[in-house]
Amino acid sequence: MAEGRLHRILSAVVKIKPGEARLALLLFAYFFLITAPFNIIKSLRDASFLEDLGPNFLPYAYASALVVGLAVSLHARLQAKLSRRGLLRSTLVFFLLLDLAFWAVFSTSDWKWWTLLYWMWANVFVVVLTTQFWILVNDVFNPREAKRLIGFFGSGGILGGVAGGVLTGFAARWMNSHDLLLLSAAFLLAALAVVAALFTGRGWGALAGGSPRPEGPPPSTGPSKVGFWDCARSVRKSRYLTLIGAVVMVTGIVSTFIDWQSKTIIFQAGRANLTSFFGFFNSGLLVFAFLFQLVLTSRFIERFGIRLGLMIYPAVLFFMSFGIAVRPDLLFAVGIKGSDKALSYSLNQSARELLYIPVVPELKYRAKIFIDMFLNRFSKAIGGLILLVLILLAYGKFGTVAGPGVLAVVSAVSAGFIVLWMVLNARLDRAYVREVRLQLAKKWERPDTLISERMDVETAKLIVDALESRTQSPTLFALHLYDLARRRKLTPEIKSLLAPPPAEPSPSLSNPLMESEEALGMPDAHDPALSAEMDAEIREILALDSYQKLMVEYAGRILDAPSGGAETARMELAKAIGLMDRGSPLVGRLGDLLDDPSPAVFQFAAESAGRLRDREFVALLVRRLADPLSRGDARAALEKYGESIVGTLADFLADREGGGGVRGPVASLLAGIGTSEAAEALLEELDRGPSGLDEDIIDALDRIRLRNPALAFPGDAVRARLASVLAAFGPVSGAADLLPVFRLLGLIHDHEDIFRAYQNLLKGTKDSIGYAIELLDHTLDPETKSRLFPRLDDLAGGGAAPART
């Protein structure tokens, strides 16, 4: 009941599903309680450093971020040995004790260089605790869930920063600045209580660097190396993680330039009580970030995607850098610093964390340790060293108060890094889609396509026919052997298979069809070999006028008989006609055999028609598609005509009144032909509106697309049909109901991506559906997503997510 009430309250501000409310609220609270003390610590850090050492020494402070590497190495080893809960609790206790230690030092010592050590500790504090928080988020949520909720619990961190800043601003006016560390200690104690509640009943506490998701990879059986250099090598081996690291590096360098510019101008403005000023300043710039994160971040990323989420931040800083170069006053100092932190803590942070979700868990933990804990701070050191060089180049010595000239130079250098940052972000977005794709099922393959590609169906059928005719008709058997030999398919294995037992008589010469073979010494069944010379001689005999006349007379006796002649004789005749040239007078009798009611006779007649490819037989073959017993043979024969009969097939397909049972097989036949003209005929029929054959036509188009990926389909026509198909859908009981939709999508988008997504929807797990929708989110157009995504989200049991534009 309490969970339901909590869900109703939270659903007013965030799209939250049943069962997620408690977890989301605890993550919100935990992030609040680790960022609030950091803003207290940070305000005291900035004010103490400027008052004791001045802004000229800030580059040294930035360079001191190198010590974070030691913290990274230690944290990596602890993460491998401790459970997730144990690691969080131990870290909080460690920082709580150091917080109290610095309070004692500042209360008893006036040594000004303590502020530099305190600066280093503050950097380690924020890096470790925030990285641990985002690792926990990556453990729990897939990309689709994270997009919905990241704005909510991420806003908890921003609100904590606002609260810590406001508390600092007021408290610094009536108490000693260093006593503020007691307030930060109180927040850390509360965070320990939230961690205990977060893991209660969840079963996550035993995880040591693993993922609570049921579908993660199996744990390694051997010890895992998690040292600093092991984490670095893991990032270096992955192109995707290297890109993330490069973006983090450039972001940190730009942020360092902005921090130095703003602090220099604020110090030169002569503000009194800098601790109180920085408290209010830090909280004030986070107010916008909090509102943006709570209300807009999730909706923005869901609607516009990670790409725009990554681009907004550097674009704003690019224009602000020029502003401070032109007018280096307090207004622009506050403006550029506010833009930096407001977007960094909201949109950019959320978008960047989403980039880690497709990474496999073991690699993800190593990457976040190296990138978020080390590179994030190492970039500050690089930024500080660049600042030192720029100041020395501008003034020839260190210690001179920075004037407008050096501020403008820093802005220009910063703008160059921002351009590089935006280029890397564009590449990173494309790499993200590839990583999501890797989380999906392997390549989609149609069973009918596999059979046609991997089996010689025609030869296999001919061998079966030969085996059946061995006892049925010696004449048919001999014709089949001759046919196999002409095709160069009479391998030793097939010869052995077809050879009759010794007691079985050799083919007899019971009719004129065998006379030419006997005259040429036709090999018996025990040695069915045919040389090229013998093949030429047989062809020469078959072309003789005397033989043709004899065969025509024989055909007349068979076909003009009142009973139509014996079925076996008609089968032999149908087979023999296919071995003749197209100009043979005997070919004229093939039409009678194509009309034969016997499926066995039609089989050989259709085979002969397919070899001769005379257009007068096309209509006869198409009509036999309506007969289930003859459909396969008619189709095989028509396929041999190829694209030359597309127009005729299109006419049959368009005949809704007299098409009978042939329209469906004709659609399948057009798919087998697979040319652009065949696709056009299918699309034209689909455009005419519902006909009861839509699924067959869509399936045929999908087969053409799979066989010919380079073939372009008219996007507008396909989208229009897609819209009507989606509009006609009732409740979706499973992903299989949407197969026609995905086949249409595969016509105008990457077919493999579309069906990777479809296969994962069929799996039906929460993560497989989430990754499938994430890939589609980066593939489909906005209008299609607005129609399709509500149905896909329903498969996962949740509400609809808006499609991004």
Side-chain angles (χ1 to χ4, degrees):
M1 183 178 296
E3 175 74 19
R5 189 182 309 113
L6 186 60
H7 175 265
R8 287 193 298 273
I9 295 172
L10 292 181
S11 61
V13 293
V14 64
K15 288 189 303 180
I16 196 164
K17 294 182 181 179
E20 294 177 339
R22 179 179 180 273
L23 177 61
L25 188 62
L26 286 172
L27 287 170
F28 177 96
Y30 178 60
F31 207 19
F32 176 95
L33 292 171
I34 62 175
T35 55
F38 173 67
N39 231 18
I40 296 173
I41 292 168
K42 178 183 176 182
S43 299
L44 179 60
R45 179 201 70 182
D46 294 345
S48 299
F49 194 93
L50 290 175
E51 289 172 348
D52 290 346
L53 300 174
N56 295 324
F57 285 92
L58 279 173
Y60 290 114
Y62 300 140
S64 70
L66 291 171
V67 300
V68 174
L70 299 175
V72 171
S73 180
L74 176 62
H75 185 274
R77 297 183 183 280
L78 289 175
Q79 180 169 279
K81 296 179 179 179
L82 299 176
S83 67
R84 183 75 68 240
R85 175 170 53 185
L87 182 64
L88 292 175
R89 292 174 62 181
S90 300
T91 306
L92 287 171
V93 170
F94 172 75
F95 285 116
L96 173 62
L97 294 176
L98 279 182
D99 179 277
L100 295 175
F102 273 108
W103 170 75
V105 166
F106 286 139
S107 300
T108 58
S109 175
D110 294 329
W111 188 47
K112 64 181 181 179
W113 289 101
W114 280 119
T115 57
L116 182 60
L117 296 176
Y118 179 67
W119 184 290
M120 297 181 200
W121 172 74
N123 286 343
V124 174
F125 178 98
V126 67
V127 167
V128 171
L129 291 184
T130 56
T131 300
Q132 287 181 348
F133 171 79
W134 290 115
I135 286 177
L136 185 61
V137 170
N138 275 266
D139 276 347
V140 177
F141 299 106
N142 65 43
R144 206 66 193 162
E145 295 167 326
K147 280 187 175 182
R148 281 190 297 102
L149 299 173
I150 200 168
F152 173 67
F153 49 69
S155 64
I158 299 174
L159 186 61
V162 173
V166 170
L167 184 60
T168 300
F170 283 110
R173 295 180 176 180
W174 52 267
M175 63 188 299
N176 291 328
S177 296
H178 58 264
D179 290 335
L180 293 171
L181 291 172
L182 297 176
L183 297 178
S184 61
F187 279 109
L188 293 175
L189 279 173
L192 280 167
V194 172
V195 168
L198 190 61
F199 285 87
T200 300
R202 290 282 171 179
W204 301 341
L207 291 173
S211 169
R213 297 185 200 165
E215 295 187 59
S220 173
T221 55
S224 177
K225 295 182 178 181
V226 290
F228 175 81
W229 293 112
D230 299 301
C231 295
R233 279 191 292 269
S234 297
V235 172
R236 182 174 56 83
K237 291 178 181 179
S238 168
R239 181 174 178 270
Y240 179 64
L241 292 174
T242 301
L243 271 174
I244 295 178
V247 168
V248 168
M249 281 287 292
V250 176
T251 304
I253 291 171
V254 173
S255 183
T256 302
F257 292 162
I258 291 172
D259 188 70
W260 178 80
Q261 288 175 308
S262 61
K263 282 186 171 66
T264 297
I265 294 173
I266 289 170
F267 181 77
Q268 292 175 357
R271 304 294 304 183
N273 196 340
L274 283 178
T275 302
S276 177
F277 171 80
F278 278 118
F280 284 121
F281 174 68
N282 290 332
S283 61
L285 64 85
L286 288 175
V287 168
F288 169 77
F290 169 72
L291 296 175
F292 194 99
Q293 181 81 353
L294 181 63
V295 180
L296 297 176
T297 293
S298 292
R299 290 177 173 85
F300 185 94
I301 292 177
E302 279 190 287
R303 187 168 184 80
F304 298 106
I306 289 179
R307 177 182 301 174
L308 196 56
L310 293 171
M311 289 296 187
I312 289 290
Y313 180 30
V316 171
L317 295 186
F318 183 83
F319 290 107
M320 292 298 295
S321 293
F322 281 104
I324 203 169
V326 175
R327 187 178 174 183
D329 57 16
L330 188 61
L331 178 63
F332 266 98
V334 171
I336 194 170
K337 185 65 177 177
S339 301
D340 177 30
K341 292 306 176 185
L343 292 173
S344 174
Y345 291 154
S346 57
L347 187 60
N348 186 70
Q349 179 70 33
S350 299
R352 198 174 77 191
E353 292 303 326
L354 288 172
L355 296 173
Y356 285 107
I357 292 179
V359 182
V360 294
E362 182 180 358
L363 183 58
K364 179 193 309 178
Y365 305 134
R366 295 186 180 191
K368 287 189 72 66
I369 288 172
F370 182 73
I371 295 173
D372 290 0
M373 295 181 65
F374 175 71
L375 287 186
N376 188 34
R377 290 296 152 176
F378 181 70
S379 64
K380 305 287 185 182
I382 298 299
L385 293 175
I386 295 174
L387 283 172
L388 284 172
V389 173
L390 292 176
I391 293 172
L392 288 172
L393 290 175
Y395 297 110
K397 62 178 181 177
F398 190 72
T400 304
V401 176
V406 72
L407 290 170
V409 170
V410 171
S411 290
V413 175
S414 179
F417 275 101
I418 291 173
V419 171
L420 174 61
W421 180 4
M422 297 176 77
V423 171
L424 290 172
N425 275 343
R427 296 181 61 186
L428 185 56
D429 177 72
R430 293 191 294 271
Y432 171 76
V433 177
R434 288 194 296 270
E435 287 296 312
V436 171
R437 189 180 295 125
L438 291 175
Q439 294 294 323
L440 304 182
K442 300 301 180 184
K443 182 180 179 181
W444 168 268
E445 293 180 311
R446 293 177 57 114
D448 52 359
T449 304
L450 286 175
I451 292 173
S452 64
E453 289 179 351
R454 300 182 185 181
M455 291 184 62
D456 187 348
V457 178
E458 188 174 0
T459 300
K461 183 175 180 296
L462 185 55
I463 293 171
V464 171
D465 289 341
L467 285 169
E468 290 179 348
S469 66
R470 193 169 61 180
T471 56
Q472 180 185 27
S473 166
T475 301
L476 269 180
F477 182 53
L479 291 171
H480 288 317
L481 292 180
Y482 175 55
D483 199 0
L484 282 167
R486 286 178 61 181
R487 296 167 183 254
R488 301 294 188 267
K489 300 293 185 181
L490 209 53
T491 63
E493 294 80 9
I494 295 177
K495 292 178 184 179
S496 174
L497 176 66
L498 295 177
E504 200 172 300
S506 297
S508 63
L509 307 180
S510 58
N511 60 57
L513 295 175
M514 290 297 295
E515 291 180 4
S516 63
E517 285 87 344
E518 174 63 14
L520 293 171
M522 180 69 180
D524 63 25
H526 295 281
D527 185 20
L530 185 67
S531 67
E533 182 180 354
M534 183 179 292
D535 183 29
E537 291 176 348
I538 291 177
R539 289 175 181 271
E540 184 178 343
I541 293 256
L542 292 175
L544 291 174
D545 290 340
S546 57
Y547 183 77
Q548 292 290 326
K549 182 179 179 181
L550 177 65
M551 288 299 300
V552 169
E553 292 175 356
Y554 176 75
R557 291 198 304 271
I558 296 295
L559 298 177
D560 295 337
S563 62
E567 183 183 55
T568 300
R570 300 198 308 274
M571 292 165 60
E572 294 168 350
L573 182 61
K575 177 74 177 180
I577 292 175
L579 302 177
M580 305 292 178
D581 292 331
R582 290 182 63 179
S584 170
L586 192 62
V587 173
R589 303 309 303 261
L590 186 59
D592 298 323
L593 294 166
L594 288 171
D595 267 337
D596 197 295
S598 167
V601 174
F602 176 78
Q603 172 190 339
F604 295 111
E607 180 183 312
S608 295
R611 290 184 180 180
L612 297 170
R613 292 192 287 276
D614 193 319
R615 291 187 63 86
E616 71 172 287
F617 303 134
V618 173
L620 292 171
L621 290 167
V622 171
R623 292 191 186 99
R624 292 300 288 262
L625 290 171
D627 181 4
L629 296 178
S630 302
R631 182 175 298 153
D633 298 313
R635 176 192 171 92
L638 288 166
E639 283 179 342
K640 291 189 170 71
Y641 283 82
E643 59 185 298
S644 65
I645 62 169
V646 168
T648 304
L649 295 177
D651 292 338
F652 276 97
L653 182 64
D655 186 5
R656 297 189 177 187
E657 297 297 330
V662 306
R663 295 179 66 243
V666 164
S668 179
L669 187 58
L670 286 168
I673 294 173
T675 62
S676 58
E677 292 78 9
E680 184 178 348
L682 290 164
L683 283 170
E684 285 180 359
E685 179 59 24
L686 197 63
D687 286 343
R688 293 177 61 195
S691 64
L693 201 65
D694 290 2
E695 289 198 19
D696 297 67
I697 295 175
I698 292 172
D699 178 66
L701 289 167
D702 178 65
R703 288 173 56 197
I704 293 176
R705 173 68 165 170
L706 193 60
R707 288 178 54 189
N708 190 359
L711 186 61
F713 289 81
D716 292 340
V718 174
R719 289 187 182 92
R721 189 61 183 158
L722 182 62
S724 64
V725 170
L726 284 170
F729 259 103
V732 177
S733 59
D737 295 345
L738 296 170
L739 179 57
V741 173
F742 279 84
R743 282 176 171 166
L744 284 171
L745 290 173
L747 300 180
I748 52 178
H749 298 287
D750 185 282
H751 191 277
E752 185 172 342
D753 280 355
I754 292 297
F755 278 92
R756 279 176 183 266
Y758 177 69
Q759 283 181 284
N760 276 261
L761 291 172
L762 287 176
K763 288 174 66 177
T765 65
K766 182 179 68 172
D767 279 355
S768 68
I769 293 174
Y771 279 110
I773 298 177
E774 183 68 9
L775 179 59
L776 293 173
D777 195 24
H778 285 77
T779 304
L780 306 183
D781 58 275
E783 183 178 354
T784 301
K785 287 186 290 187
S786 67
R787 297 174 184 272
L788 178 62
F789 276 21
R791 300 181 184 278
L792 298 185
D793 280 334
D794 286 343
L795 294 177
R804 59 181 174 84
T805 57

